[in-house]
Amino acid sequence: MSDDFDIEDVLRASLAEHARQAPQAAPLAERIIAEADHLDWVREPRGPRRWRGWMLPAVAAASVVAVVATIVGLVQLKHSGKHSTDAGAQQSGRRSSSSAPAASGSLFATSASPTETVPTVGKPGGAVPDRFRVVDLTFVGSHAWALGQGDCLDGSSGTCPAVLRSDDDGKDWKSTPTPPVPVGEGCGEAACVTHLRFADANTGYAFGPGALYTTQDGGQSWSDVSQGDTTSLEVANGTALRVTADQLQISPVGKDSWKAATLPTRATVRAPVVRALSRAYVSAADGNTVYASTDNGADWTARPSPCSPAGSLSSMTAAADGSLVVTCTTSASKTPTLMVSGNDGVSFSSVAAPSGDVVGSPVAATDSSTVFCSTPNGLLRTTDGGQDWQPVSGNKTSGVAVFLGFEGPTTGRWVSGDGSTIYTTTDGGDHWSPHTFT
Amino acid sequence: MLLRDSADPAREECMDRNVAFAQFVREQTATLVRSAYLLTGNSVAAEDLVQDTFVRLFPKWDRVQAADVPMAYVRRSMVNGFLNQRRRPSSRELVIDEVPERIDGRDIGVEVTNRDLVWRLLTTLPDRQRAALVMRFFEDLADEQIAESLGCRLGTVRSLISRGLAALREQTLRESAVNRP
């Protein structure tokens, strides 16, 4: 180094370069907010001094539940008569403001950024695009929504994102407005939608990398929540759980009021979060721990990973009865190990996976003894701990299922590998009826 | 009746404050954690410093919001936290990302870039000098702002920066000479 170097320039460059090695801010921010939230609960006066200390958190929790229930009821009442969309705004691309969601029980329960209804693509009740291919599927009773891609309805070349809706258990489908971002895994855009989830006929979410949209009118209009990546989201029993920036967050369904879930301090998680009935499960980012909730995500318990080594936990799914199925995958084996728990992750039993290269194959279950696995050879089912896997749906399509899941002990769906066909069973998987998009 | 009245003005005020806190944390943590990393030199300590700062300020967030520049208030608190923590003997036992190489010339190879060399030398400066240099040459703060953050006079800031730069320059030249083939 020559003696006439400029130490100030070198120092500036050095600081700028090393600042890029600083920890990620988003997870840290959520941890800080959760920590402060906890402090606030502890220190905030909750009632007369004559109350015993143990009553305070109990009363606070009851109050929060009551306030949330009241607000949810009011908001749903407000939305019950609001099903029209601002068609003019959609056609012109003009943004129309919508009211920000009401505050809920969390002390940090209001979005930092107001939600806006976004211009969408398509009209309610429109035709189904030719060559529509399903990317994701969600059913709520007889109502269903399918996210996918198909020929563009405006006649332009190529494929366009599309959301379809059915109100007769998937027999007839109509297109419905689509959030204005690309659709599908690996879309490679700054924001894209990869999944849909609905809580009821009106309230739903479209989400993916850099995207979280909500609807309160069954998908006729969408609002941009603008809260970063949402890699996994599940709704049930009034709460929504999502994984964002390695953090698990919870919000009342239909509200843009996310706060950190009450996991052990500084726990980071990875997608997916899975749910069934009141059960919810998510794994630690390092795969060494499974967090289990039995009260819709309000409280969580840490359980050790059932995999060996612990970090080989690769995915999880919740059975229709609330049991947990964990998939353990090591780089040395093409056959994963399935671990099933019927007691909220306290103990697990091993289920041998189907033979062949089934790493990454979708797995579903109706209970702790009945497990399904989609393979290139079709959908297989075992009821004897994996000793025998029998084909239950003879249709062989290219690749494994795009979607596989059960809404209850007898009703389930899977989508063929090419996304063209939705198969439905109502007898626990013995028989499957197809609906094919042409 | 145990149900809390959602229209309770005190409750509403509390929620407004908490929402403002959450918004500030989400917006400013990226800036603060970068500075904290440059101050502490490792990720764990940087996260702890930012988190401790916010948790300490949270009970008096109304005061932070009332400040002319809330970010300046938070920065000052963070810098004070850094300096106070470093004054405690136990702070010398912080877990760090990697063991720093000895700044004696023999452990620094000739392939080390100037920027890495300056970064390593920065860790050897007194804490207040280091903080002043970070605020000046990373955050681009004026002397007045640095003085406010450090709680000292303008002349002291200029002296800290001047002596810090001189020490860096001198040590950089010395280390370079030692490693020059």
Side-chain angles (χ1 to χ4, degrees):
Chain A
M1 185 178 289
S2 63
D3 290 357
D4 60 350
F5 75 102
D6 188 335
I7 188 64
E8 293 188 13
D9 288 346
V10 174
L11 178 58
R12 279 185 200 280
S14 176
L15 293 172
E17 180 178 302
H18 287 89
R20 288 194 286 271
Q21 299 171 16
Q24 285 194 337
L28 174 61
E30 298 308 320
R31 286 202 301 271
I32 292 167
I33 292 167
E35 173 90 8
D37 200 7
H38 173 71
L39 288 176
D40 214 44
W41 281 114
V42 172
R43 71 178 177 80
E44 189 181 20
R46 300 287 170 181
R49 288 180 181 275
R50 66 176 180 274
W51 289 9
R52 291 177 184 275
W54 62 265
M55 291 179 69
L56 301 182
V59 171
S63 302
V64 168
V65 169
V67 170
V68 170
T70 303
I71 294 170
V72 167
L74 289 173
V75 172
Q76 286 183 341
L77 195 65
K78 176 183 172 185
H79 283 290
S80 62
K82 179 188 173 187
H83 289 283
S84 62
T85 56
D86 186 348
Q90 289 180 22
Q91 289 171 4
S92 66
R94 171 173 56 85
R95 287 189 172 222
S96 59
S97 297
S98 62
S99 59
S104 76
S106 168
L107 294 170
F108 294 96
T110 300
S111 169
S113 56
T115 57
E116 291 182 318
T117 301
V118 295
T120 51
V121 180
K123 298 176 181 177
V128 174
D130 289 341
R131 287 185 281 275
F132 179 77
R133 297 295 175 260
V134 178
V135 171
D136 194 32
L137 193 63
T138 182
F139 274 77
V140 179
S142 61
H143 306 289
W145 293 260
L147 175 72
Q149 296 173 313
D151 289 355
C152 297
L153 290 170
D154 62 3
S156 57
S157 60
T159 59
C160 288
V163 175
L164 307 185
R165 173 171 175 154
S166 170
D167 293 306
D168 58 2
D169 202 32
K171 296 181 181 66
D172 291 311
W173 295 86
K174 300 289 185 185
S175 68
T176 194
T178 306
V181 292
V183 160
E185 296 286 354
C187 54
E189 300 288 339
C192 64
V193 169
T194 54
H195 295 87
L196 285 177
R197 289 293 181 269
F198 273 76
D200 53 41
N202 294 318
T203 308
Y205 303 82
F207 61 94
L212 177 58
Y213 295 88
T214 61
T215 179
Q216 300 281 358
D217 54 16
Q220 296 185 62
S221 64
W222 292 93
S223 296
D224 184 359
V225 177
S226 300
Q227 291 219 13
D229 290 349
T230 301
T231 50
S232 178
L233 184 152
E234 294 293 343
V235 292
N237 304 321
T239 62
L241 296 169
R242 73 162 183 162
V243 176
T244 178
D246 298 330
Q247 296 294 303
L248 181 66
Q249 296 184 337
I250 186 170
S251 170
V253 163
K255 302 291 184 297
D256 177 21
S257 49
W258 300 94
K259 69 168 188 173
T262 55
L263 294 177
T265 305
R266 296 200 172 198
T268 55
V269 303
R270 68 183 181 203
V273 56
V274 297
R275 304 182 68 171
L277 304 178
S278 62
R279 267 61 174 175
Y281 305 96
V282 69
S283 74
D286 59 8
N288 290 328
T289 305
V290 173
Y291 299 105
S293 171
T294 60
D295 56 5
N296 298 301
D299 300 295
W300 296 83
T301 302
R303 310 279 190 205
S305 166
C307 299
S308 180
S312 64
L313 188 158
S314 59
S315 68
M316 301 194 301
T317 187
D321 72 341
S323 298
L324 172 63
V325 182
V326 173
T327 303
C328 312
T329 306
T330 61
S331 57
S333 173
K334 290 184 177 180
T335 303
T337 301
L338 304 178
M339 304 297 290
V340 182
S341 173
N343 56 6
D344 311 322
V346 175
S347 62
F348 287 83
S349 57
S350 174
V351 173
S355 59
D357 187 356
V358 291
V359 170
S361 295
V363 172
T366 53
D367 54 52
S368 58
S369 61
T370 308
V371 181
F372 296 78
C373 182
S374 172
T375 75
N377 294 321
L379 184 64
L380 307 180
R381 176 177 64 184
T382 182
T383 57
D384 59 3
Q387 295 180 39
D388 186 29
W389 287 88
Q390 290 291 329
V392 291
S393 187
N395 304 73
K396 296 180 181 178
T397 60
S398 56
V400 297
V402 168
F403 173 92
L404 171 62
F406 279 80
E407 300 135 51
T410 58
T411 302
R413 329 272 172 176
W414 73 280
V415 177
S416 60
D418 63 0
S420 66
T421 304
I422 299 171
Y423 295 92
T424 298
T425 181
T426 56
D427 58 8
D430 291 338
H431 302 89
W432 298 80
S433 58
H435 178 96
T436 300
F437 297 101
T438 56
Chain B
M1 183 176 180
L2 298 179
L3 198 157
R4 186 198 303 262
D5 183 4
S6 62
D8 178 357
R11 168 72 176 175
E12 293 297 318
E13 186 179 336
C14 177
M15 290 195 65
D16 287 346
R17 185 206 60 181
N18 293 338
V19 168
F21 174 83
Q23 182 173 354
F24 187 95
V25 170
R26 289 192 173 106
E27 290 177 353
Q28 302 296 343
T29 293
T31 301
L32 290 167
V33 78
R34 283 195 292 268
S35 296
Y37 181 78
L38 297 177
L39 289 172
T40 61
N42 76 81
S43 298
V44 174
E47 289 191 343
D48 283 348
L49 179 58
V50 175
Q51 181 156 348
D52 290 348
T53 300
F54 274 122
V55 169
R56 191 169 59 249
L57 291 176
F58 174 64
K60 48 186 177 184
W61 196 249
D62 292 337
R63 203 180 307 166
V64 177
Q65 284 183 285
D68 290 340
V69 184
M71 182 59 170
Y73 193 115
V74 175
R75 186 192 299 111
R76 181 169 66 244
S77 180
M78 187 175 83
V79 171
N80 283 337
F82 166 70
L83 296 173
N84 291 335
Q85 183 185 54
R86 302 276 286 191
R87 289 188 192 109
R88 291 195 293 270
S90 60
S91 71
R92 304 299 176 184
E93 298 170 8
L94 283 174
V95 176
I96 58 175
D97 287 343
E98 57 187 67
V99 178
E101 296 180 23
R102 295 171 58 197
I103 312 299
D104 59 4
R106 291 187 296 275
D107 290 341
I108 302 177
V110 292
E111 74 278 5
V112 175
T113 65
N114 296 348
R115 281 177 287 187
D116 283 340
L117 178 58
V118 169
W119 171 250
R120 290 168 193 276
L121 294 174
L122 193 64
T123 64
T124 68
L125 296 182
D127 295 332
R128 286 168 67 83
Q129 281 186 19
R130 179 184 177 118
L133 291 177
V134 167
M135 284 188 276
R136 162 58 59 81
F137 295 103
F138 178 70
E139 299 182 39
D140 284 327
L141 298 184
D143 287 349
E144 292 80 3
Q145 293 169 297
I146 298 172
E148 183 187 358
S149 294
L150 290 175
C152 63
R153 292 178 297 180
L154 277 177
T156 306
V157 170
R158 289 167 186 151
S159 172
L160 287 169
I161 292 174
S162 174
R163 282 187 281 125
L165 285 175
L168 281 181
R169 179 181 172 81
E170 180 185 346
Q171 290 186 55
T172 301
L173 288 172
R174 189 163 59 232
E175 301 299 338
S176 297
V178 168
N179 290 290
R180 195 173 293 153

